[in-house]
Amino acid sequence: GAVVSQHPSWVICKSGTSVKIECRSLDFQATTMFWYRQFPKQSLMLMATSNEGSKATYEQGVEKDKFLINHASLTLSTLTVTSAHPEDSSFYICSARDLIGGSGGPTDTQYFGPGTRLTVL
Amino acid sequence: GQNIDQPTEMTATEGAIVQINCTYQTSGFNGLFWYQQHAGEAPTFLSYNVLDGLEEKGRFSSFLSRSKGYSYLLLKELQMKDSASYLCAVMDSNYQLIWGAGTKLIIKP
Protein backbone atom coordinates (compact mmCIF):
# COMPACT_ATOMS: atom_id res chain seq x y z
CA GLY A 1 0.00 0.00 0.00
CA ALA A 2 0.87 3.64 -0.28
CA VAL A 3 3.36 4.98 2.20
CA VAL A 4 3.89 8.61 2.99
CA SER A 5 6.56 9.56 5.47
CA GLN A 6 7.05 12.72 7.45
CA HIS A 7 10.10 13.97 9.25
CA PRO A 8 10.51 14.83 12.02
CA SER A 9 7.70 13.11 13.89
CA TRP A 10 7.94 15.64 16.67
CA VAL A 11 9.89 18.82 17.31
CA ILE A 12 10.23 21.28 20.15
CA CYS A 13 11.65 24.69 19.34
CA LYS A 14 12.06 28.10 20.85
CA SER A 15 9.85 30.99 19.87
CA GLY A 16 11.23 32.89 16.89
CA THR A 17 13.02 29.97 15.28
CA SER A 18 12.08 28.25 12.02
CA VAL A 19 11.17 24.61 11.64
CA LYS A 20 11.18 22.56 8.44
CA ILE A 21 8.95 19.51 8.02
CA GLU A 22 9.47 17.06 5.17
CA CYS A 23 6.81 14.96 3.50
CA ARG A 24 7.76 12.12 1.15
CA SER A 25 5.72 9.70 -0.92
CA LEU A 26 7.70 6.49 -0.86
CA ASP A 27 6.06 4.26 -3.45
CA PHE A 28 4.27 6.57 -5.84
CA GLN A 29 4.78 9.92 -7.48
CA ALA A 30 2.68 12.74 -6.10
CA THR A 31 2.23 15.79 -8.28
CA THR A 32 0.05 17.21 -5.54
CA MET A 33 0.61 17.18 -1.81
CA PHE A 34 -1.51 18.79 0.88
CA TRP A 35 -0.60 20.27 4.22
CA TYR A 36 -3.06 20.13 7.10
CA ARG A 37 -3.04 21.38 10.65
CA GLN A 38 -5.01 19.78 13.41
CA PHE A 39 -5.49 21.21 16.88
CA PRO A 40 -6.42 18.85 19.72
CA LYS A 41 -9.89 17.36 19.40
CA GLN A 42 -10.57 19.33 16.22
CA SER A 43 -10.91 18.21 12.64
CA LEU A 44 -8.32 18.57 9.93
CA MET A 45 -7.81 22.04 8.54
CA LEU A 46 -6.34 22.33 5.07
CA MET A 47 -3.56 24.89 5.02
CA ALA A 48 -2.29 24.68 1.46
CA THR A 49 -2.11 22.64 -1.69
CA SER A 50 1.35 22.03 -3.05
CA ASN A 51 1.88 21.25 -6.72
CA GLU A 52 5.21 20.00 -7.99
CA GLY A 53 7.15 22.70 -9.78
CA SER A 54 4.76 25.55 -9.02
CA LYS A 55 3.74 27.80 -6.18
CA ALA A 56 1.54 26.46 -3.44
CA THR A 57 -2.08 27.51 -3.12
CA TYR A 58 -2.91 28.69 0.37
CA GLU A 59 -6.29 28.55 2.05
CA GLN A 60 -7.86 31.74 3.28
CA GLY A 61 -6.37 32.90 6.54
CA VAL A 62 -3.10 31.00 6.14
CA GLU A 63 -0.07 33.28 5.89
CA LYS A 64 2.06 32.20 2.95
CA ASP A 65 5.09 34.12 4.22
CA LYS A 66 4.90 32.30 7.53
CA PHE A 67 4.26 28.83 6.19
CA LEU A 68 6.67 28.33 3.31
CA ILE A 69 5.97 25.37 1.09
CA ASN A 70 8.31 23.88 -1.46
CA HIS A 71 7.47 20.95 -3.73
CA ALA A 72 10.68 20.48 -5.63
CA SER A 73 10.18 16.89 -6.75
CA LEU A 74 7.40 14.39 -7.37
CA THR A 75 8.09 12.70 -4.05
CA LEU A 76 9.01 15.52 -1.68
CA SER A 77 7.26 18.55 -0.27
CA THR A 78 8.50 20.66 2.63
CA LEU A 79 6.70 22.98 5.00
CA THR A 80 8.77 25.57 6.84
CA VAL A 81 7.17 27.33 9.78
CA THR A 82 9.09 30.60 9.99
CA SER A 83 9.49 32.59 13.19
CA ALA A 84 7.41 30.09 15.07
CA HIS A 85 5.32 31.21 18.05
CA PRO A 86 3.51 29.20 20.72
CA GLU A 87 0.21 29.57 18.88
CA ASP A 88 1.77 27.63 15.98
CA SER A 89 2.03 24.58 18.21
CA SER A 90 -0.09 21.96 16.51
CA PHE A 91 -0.14 18.61 14.74
CA TYR A 92 0.93 19.13 11.12
CA ILE A 93 -0.05 16.40 8.69
CA CYS A 94 0.78 16.09 5.02
CA SER A 95 -0.98 13.98 2.47
CA ALA A 96 0.10 12.95 -1.00
CA ARG A 97 -2.28 12.49 -3.88
CA ASP A 98 -1.92 9.27 -5.80
CA LEU A 99 -3.53 10.32 -9.05
CA ILE A 100 -3.08 7.19 -11.14
CA GLY A 101 -3.22 4.51 -8.51
CA GLY A 102 0.47 3.81 -8.66
CA SER A 103 0.40 2.70 -5.07
CA GLY A 104 -2.01 -0.10 -5.94
CA GLY A 105 -5.03 1.61 -4.41
CA PRO A 106 -7.84 3.56 -6.06
CA THR A 107 -6.99 6.43 -8.37
CA ASP A 108 -6.99 9.97 -7.03
CA THR A 109 -6.66 8.98 -3.38
CA GLN A 110 -4.89 10.93 -0.68
CA TYR A 111 -2.59 9.09 1.69
CA PHE A 112 -1.46 10.71 4.88
CA GLY A 113 1.91 10.93 6.49
CA PRO A 114 2.14 10.08 10.19
CA GLY A 115 2.15 13.75 11.19
CA THR A 116 4.58 16.06 12.96
CA ARG A 117 3.82 17.35 16.40
CA LEU A 118 5.26 20.85 16.79
CA THR A 119 5.63 22.45 20.19
CA VAL A 120 6.88 26.03 20.32
CA LEU A 121 8.08 27.18 23.72
CA GLY B 1 -22.08 26.11 0.26
CA GLN B 2 -20.46 22.76 0.67
CA ASN B 3 -21.32 20.67 3.66
CA ILE B 4 -20.53 17.26 5.08
CA ASP B 5 -22.55 16.03 8.06
CA GLN B 6 -21.76 13.10 10.28
CA PRO B 7 -22.60 12.39 13.93
CA THR B 8 -20.17 13.78 16.45
CA GLU B 9 -19.94 10.70 18.60
CA MET B 10 -21.25 7.14 18.72
CA THR B 11 -20.92 4.35 21.26
CA ALA B 12 -21.05 0.64 20.51
CA THR B 13 -20.27 -2.65 22.19
CA GLU B 14 -17.37 -4.94 21.39
CA GLY B 15 -18.45 -7.64 18.96
CA ALA B 16 -21.44 -5.67 17.72
CA ILE B 17 -22.10 -3.80 14.46
CA VAL B 18 -22.16 -0.04 14.04
CA GLN B 19 -23.15 2.16 11.12
CA ILE B 20 -21.71 5.65 10.77
CA ASN B 21 -23.69 7.87 8.45
CA CYS B 22 -22.48 10.73 6.30
CA THR B 23 -24.59 13.13 4.25
CA TYR B 24 -23.14 15.64 1.88
CA GLN B 25 -23.93 18.65 -0.26
CA THR B 26 -21.08 19.58 -2.53
CA SER B 27 -20.45 21.32 -5.82
CA GLY B 28 -19.95 18.25 -7.92
CA PHE B 29 -18.95 14.77 -6.89
CA ASN B 30 -15.88 12.77 -7.74
CA GLY B 31 -15.93 10.16 -5.02
CA LEU B 32 -16.39 9.71 -1.30
CA PHE B 33 -13.68 8.55 1.09
CA TRP B 34 -13.66 7.17 4.60
CA TYR B 35 -10.62 7.53 6.83
CA GLN B 36 -9.88 6.23 10.31
CA GLN B 37 -7.96 8.39 12.73
CA HIS B 38 -6.74 7.19 16.11
CA ALA B 39 -6.10 9.83 18.74
CA GLY B 40 -2.78 11.55 18.17
CA GLU B 41 -2.21 9.89 14.81
CA ALA B 42 -2.76 10.83 11.19
CA PRO B 43 -5.75 9.49 9.25
CA THR B 44 -5.48 6.20 7.40
CA PHE B 45 -7.43 5.42 4.25
CA LEU B 46 -10.30 2.94 4.65
CA SER B 47 -12.48 3.06 1.56
CA TYR B 48 -13.48 4.85 -1.61
CA ASN B 49 -16.88 4.91 -3.32
CA VAL B 50 -17.65 6.62 -6.59
CA LEU B 51 -20.54 4.46 -7.83
CA ASP B 52 -23.74 3.65 -5.95
CA GLY B 53 -23.73 0.52 -3.89
CA LEU B 54 -21.86 -1.33 -1.22
CA GLU B 55 -18.11 -1.91 -1.14
CA GLU B 56 -17.02 -4.60 1.29
CA LYS B 57 -13.51 -4.89 2.66
CA GLY B 58 -13.17 -7.36 5.50
CA ARG B 59 -14.98 -6.14 8.62
CA PHE B 60 -15.56 -2.73 7.07
CA SER B 61 -18.09 -1.89 4.35
CA SER B 62 -18.98 1.43 2.78
CA PHE B 63 -22.17 2.33 0.99
CA LEU B 64 -22.97 5.20 -1.34
CA SER B 65 -26.17 6.69 -2.75
CA ARG B 66 -25.32 9.63 -4.97
CA SER B 67 -28.97 10.58 -5.56
CA LYS B 68 -29.47 10.95 -1.82
CA GLY B 69 -26.08 12.47 -1.07
CA TYR B 70 -25.58 9.76 1.50
CA SER B 71 -22.98 7.27 2.57
CA TYR B 72 -22.39 5.02 5.53
CA LEU B 73 -19.49 3.10 6.94
CA LEU B 74 -20.43 -0.23 8.47
CA LEU B 75 -18.14 -1.84 10.99
CA LYS B 76 -18.79 -5.46 11.97
CA GLU B 77 -17.45 -7.59 14.81
CA LEU B 78 -16.25 -4.50 16.59
CA GLN B 79 -12.94 -4.67 18.38
CA MET B 80 -11.57 -2.33 21.02
CA LYS B 81 -8.94 -1.14 18.55
CA ASP B 82 -11.74 0.23 16.36
CA SER B 83 -12.16 3.04 18.87
CA ALA B 84 -11.17 6.04 16.75
CA SER B 85 -12.56 8.94 14.79
CA TYR B 86 -13.97 8.18 11.38
CA LEU B 87 -13.74 10.92 8.78
CA CYS B 88 -15.97 11.21 5.75
CA ALA B 89 -14.61 13.24 2.84
CA VAL B 90 -16.06 14.07 -0.59
CA MET B 91 -14.06 15.05 -3.64
CA ASP B 92 -15.83 17.92 -5.36
CA SER B 93 -15.86 19.02 -8.99
CA ASN B 94 -12.47 20.70 -8.54
CA TYR B 95 -11.03 17.45 -7.18
CA GLN B 96 -10.66 19.03 -3.76
CA LEU B 97 -11.49 17.00 -0.67
CA ILE B 98 -14.22 18.42 1.52
CA TRP B 99 -13.94 16.99 5.01
CA GLY B 100 -16.55 16.14 7.58
CA ALA B 101 -15.74 16.91 11.20
CA GLY B 102 -15.40 13.24 12.03
CA THR B 103 -17.34 10.78 14.18
CA LYS B 104 -15.73 9.66 17.40
CA LEU B 105 -16.53 5.98 17.91
CA ILE B 106 -16.28 4.63 21.45
CA ILE B 107 -16.22 0.87 21.87
CA LYS B 108 -17.22 -0.55 25.24
CA PRO B 109 -16.44 -4.08 26.43
Side-chain angles (χ1 to χ4, degrees):
Chain A
V3 177
V4 177
S5 70
Q6 255 182 267
H7 176 80
S9 55
W10 60 270
V11 58
I12 301 173
C13 69
K14 292 182 179 180
S15 186
T17 59
S18 294
V19 175
K20 180 187 281 188
I21 303 170
E22 292 186 350
C23 177
R24 294 180 186 272
S25 58
L26 300 184
D27 57 358
F28 66 97
Q29 294 184 331
T31 53
T32 304
M33 291 184 174
F34 303 87
W35 287 96
Y36 294 86
R37 181 165 53 183
Q38 188 175 36
F39 293 105
K41 299 184 180 180
Q42 295 187 24
S43 58
L44 296 168
M45 188 192 80
L46 179 65
M47 298 175 66
T49 301
S50 166
N51 293 300
E52 186 265 339
S54 64
K55 291 184 179 180
T57 304
Y58 290 81
E59 295 300 301
Q60 196 170 12
V62 178
E63 300 174 57
K64 62 180 181 181
D65 294 330
K66 180 170 182 63
F67 298 99
L68 302 179
I69 291 173
N70 184 278
H71 193 160
S73 78
L74 288 172
T75 59
L76 173 65
S77 176
T78 60
L79 168 69
T80 301
V81 183
T82 62
S83 187
H85 288 96
E87 57 265 31
D88 298 323
S89 298
S90 187
F91 191 41
Y92 290 87
I93 311 171
C94 75
S95 70
R97 183 183 182 187
D98 181 5
L99 192 59
I100 62 173
S103 63
T107 57
D108 214 347
T109 298
Q110 286 188 33
Y111 296 95
F112 287 84
T116 297
R117 192 162 300 283
L118 171 64
T119 302
V120 185
L121 302 176
Chain B
Q2 310 207 87
N3 196 47
I4 310 283
D5 285 318
Q6 49 182 132
T8 303
E9 186 174 297
M10 298 181 71
T11 303
T13 304
E14 189 177 16
I17 299 172
V18 71
Q19 177 175 311
I20 303 174
N21 295 325
C22 171
T23 57
Y24 63 90
Q25 290 178 309
T26 57
S27 55
F29 179 84
N30 281 298
L32 185 143
F33 299 80
W34 284 96
Y35 288 83
Q36 179 191 60
Q37 186 177 26
H38 285 100
E41 298 180 12
T44 55
F45 169 76
L46 288 179
S47 68
Y48 168 70
N49 294 70
V50 68
L51 299 177
D52 290 350
L54 187 68
E55 295 277 344
E56 296 186 76
K57 193 186 292 185
R59 293 190 298 116
F60 292 5
S61 302
S62 56
F63 171 84
L64 174 68
S65 169
R66 288 172 296 170
S67 62
K68 295 181 179 178
Y70 167 70
S71 171
Y72 67 73
L73 180 69
L74 190 72
L75 292 77
K76 303 176 184 176
E77 301 170 17
L78 286 170
Q79 301 175 9
M80 297 303 292
K81 66 178 182 179
D82 297 330
S83 292
S85 286
Y86 292 84
L87 307 172
C88 172
V90 173
M91 186 168 285
D92 68 8
S93 56
N94 294 318
Y95 294 93
Q96 298 293 318
L97 273 185
I98 311 300
W99 291 90
T103 298
K104 182 178 180 181
L105 177 63
I106 300 168
I107 309 297
K108 295 186 174 179

